[in-house]
Amino acid sequence: MSQHVPGTTARPGAGGTARAAGTDDAAHGGRPPARGAEGLAAPVPVAARKETVPAGAPEAASAPARWAAEFAGTALLVFAGLGTGMFATEVIDSALGFGLGLVAAIVAFGHVSGGHFNPAVTLAAVVAGRTPASVAIGYVVAQVLGALAAAGLLWAVLVTLLDSSTTAQVLGAVSNGFGENSTSQAGWTTVLLVEFVATALFALVVLGSTAPRANAVLAPVAIGAALVFLLTITAPFDGGSLNPARSTGAAVVAGAGHLGQLWLFWLAPLLGGLVAGLVHRAAALAGPRRRAGEPAAADSDPVIDSAPASDGAPAGSSAPARER
């Protein structure tokens, strides 16, 4: 979610039509700016940025900076969600903690890494052609470490007030599980289906709201709202996951009973992310195609090119979106 999004100044296009253009179009010789390595669109448009990027300057952050952003954003998300859940009296309170934590993480760190904060979202972005597979492993490792750091910090705080056994029970209450670890005693097949469907819908919201032609300002709000209502639905079944990193962090500090069920909370969300990426990619490739020599329409669907980026973009980054 950290890519360059043109502003909204209208200028005439081919055939007298008008299309959106920003100050950075001019800076790049009338071409859209190159997309960074993370491949998701930025939640901050040019007009809303505090500073403009000089012409020819690469926008993509270094790999360590992106990993650090994914670590910090995932830690913030998990700390907010689990911490709220420990003291929540209703399911919606915990869901709001995760949703608002995600909005804050996207705004704070999304412009650096793209704001995945979830291995399932990273997989969806890779399958959809929005993120190179070469950066996915680093992102997932950073996300898991961030979730572990947040859960460990909560454990360290609680253990100063409670004994280790009670602390594990408190953290177990906000962990994900099925069967005896589910408040509704839902079986693993039910939880697998619920997590798969919910994660697929969530990943579709992420990919759709960060598309080049989407409203970039509303992207964090849409993504956070989607997480809130989907967690509200899934929480009675399994505590609400949609995020393997979140489940891993909680399970590690909750104990062996939750670690033994962790496989499902990797399998189901990753399957959901895979399907969402395929659906998004198929929808993009199914857009109208123009015949040879036909001028590109101003409102044609953008297609993300998989060729290497140019015009000062860092090696390994995705090519800019182009209209066909």
Side-chain angles (χ1 to χ4, degrees):
M1 303 169 206
S2 67
Q3 290 312 304
H4 192 77
V5 178
T8 56
T9 304
R11 70 183 183 194
T17 60
R19 68 183 183 88
T23 56
D24 283 15
D25 277 358
H28 289 79
R31 295 182 298 275
R35 303 178 69 83
E38 66 284 342
L40 294 183
V44 183
V46 173
R49 291 184 176 181
K50 293 182 179 179
E51 298 179 357
T52 57
V53 179
E59 286 198 11
S62 64
R66 296 197 300 270
W67 297 336
E70 285 295 303
F71 173 91
T74 307
L76 174 59
L77 166 65
V78 173
F79 188 85
L82 296 184
T84 305
M86 290 178 186
F87 308 102
T89 57
E90 300 291 341
V91 170
I92 189 64
D93 293 335
S94 179
L96 276 175
F98 277 107
L100 294 177
L102 181 57
V103 171
I106 292 172
V107 174
F109 307 109
H111 63 282
V112 178
S113 67
H116 296 202
F117 313 135
N118 185 336
V121 170
T122 298
L123 176 61
V126 170
V127 174
R130 305 272 291 278
T131 296
S134 58
V135 307
I137 297 299
Y139 270 40
V140 171
V141 171
Q143 291 156 7
V144 172
L145 291 177
L148 289 171
L153 180 59
L154 287 170
W155 180 88
V157 170
L158 286 178
V159 81
T160 63
L161 303 173
L162 308 170
D163 58 80
S164 299
S165 177
T166 306
T167 298
Q169 291 178 3
V170 173
L171 289 168
V174 293
S175 300
N176 303 121
F178 55 87
E180 67 275 10
N181 291 328
S182 167
T183 56
S184 60
Q185 301 296 301
W188 72 268
T189 53
T190 301
V191 172
L192 179 67
L193 179 60
V194 167
E195 284 290 326
F196 164 73
V197 173
T199 307
L201 293 174
F202 176 68
L204 283 173
V205 171
V206 174
L207 293 174
S209 62
T210 59
R213 295 174 64 187
N215 188 324
V217 174
L218 294 179
V221 178
I223 294 168
L227 184 61
V228 170
F229 77 74
L230 288 170
L231 287 180
T232 303
I233 296 171
T234 58
F237 295 95
D238 58 13
S241 175
L242 283 68
N243 187 333
R246 169 261 194 270
S247 297
T248 301
V252 167
V253 295
H258 292 274
L259 280 173
Q261 297 182 349
L262 185 59
W263 63 270
L264 188 147
F265 298 99
W266 276 88
L267 177 62
L270 290 180
L271 286 176
L274 173 65
V275 170
L278 291 173
V279 170
H280 186 84
R281 188 181 188 93
L285 295 178
R289 296 181 178 275
R290 59 188 178 90
R291 294 182 295 272
E294 181 181 351
D299 58 350
S300 60
D301 291 338
V303 178
I304 306 302
D305 196 334
S306 59
S310 57
D311 302 324
S317 62
S318 303
R322 297 187 301 197
E323 296 182 351
R324 294 183 180 178

